Amino acid sequence: MLEGGIPDGVGASAIFRPMTWLRLSAGGAYNFVAFGFRGGVSVAPFYFPFTPSLNLDVGHFLGGDATPILATAFQGTGYDVPNSALLKQVAYDYADATLGLEFGIPKTFTIFLRLGVSYLRTTLHGFQELVQQSAAGANNPPDTSITAQDPTITLTAPSIKLGVIVYF
């Protein structure tokens, strides 16, 4: 299976289909910051050229530096992306629940569009460094008397995926 979406990035997975209506998948993904891994289960109740599907996926992206991606995204907007410690180690876990429409020949290939909701969880690494630098001011050394823990953030957001499944 090849797919692209938000927050899953682009990915490739192997699929095991123990029954015509059930698919289990596992593979790797890339979100343009770091590599990760994913797994999922899909139920497609009909073995027809057009069928709905219910899909549950989970994944984890390893830490990577998001500074270059954000700098490119905001290039020409007049906004400079700060060289922040928060962007140096971006990693997250996610879980998706989507409903999809699948088109194709179920025995050979399928093209799908899936929409749903995602739950994301990440920790902002380098938060203490950011707080210490902000408290000290722009041209002063960091205020090391301040301590802070890296906060964990959770987010629920829309999810969309587009992909193709080819069976061998």
Side-chain angles (χ1 to χ4, degrees):
M1 174 173 64
L2 298 175
E3 66 179 347
I6 298 171
D8 304 40
V10 294
S13 297
I15 292 181
F16 174 63
R17 187 167 53 178
M19 293 171 249
T20 58
W21 55 271
L22 178 65
R23 294 187 299 251
L24 306 173
S25 63
Y30 183 66
N31 65 3
F32 302 99
V33 174
F35 287 96
F37 47 91
R38 60 164 310 282
V41 65
S42 295
V43 174
F46 309 114
Y47 200 66
F48 299 138
F50 173 76
T51 185
S53 65
L54 173 63
N55 313 278
L56 302 173
D57 299 296
V58 296
H60 172 76
F61 281 101
L62 305 170
D65 186 357
T67 307
I69 299 295
L70 291 176
T72 302
F74 286 103
Q75 187 175 14
T77 64
Y79 178 77
D80 290 328
V81 175
N83 189 13
S84 171
L86 295 178
L87 299 175
K88 298 293 183 197
Q89 190 67 359
V90 176
Y92 60 90
D93 300 312
Y94 69 90
D96 301 329
T98 58
L99 292 174
L101 290 176
E102 301 186 358
F103 308 91
I105 302 167
K107 192 174 185 177
T108 310
F109 77 94
T110 302
I111 297 171
F112 62 81
L113 174 65
R114 299 173 180 167
L115 302 171
V117 65
S118 294
Y119 172 82
L120 288 94
R121 183 176 183 271
T122 187
T123 299
L124 297 179
H125 297 286
F127 188 71
Q128 178 170 302
E129 179 183 330
L130 178 69
V131 170
Q132 289 174 345
Q133 188 61 47
S134 296
N139 298 321
N140 298 321
D143 182 354
T144 57
S145 67
I146 298 174
T147 61
Q149 287 186 320
D150 291 342
T152 298
I153 296 175
T154 58
L155 172 69
T156 302
S159 177
I160 185 169
K161 294 183 192 184
L162 180 63
V164 62
I165 302 170
V166 178
Y167 297 101
F168 299 104

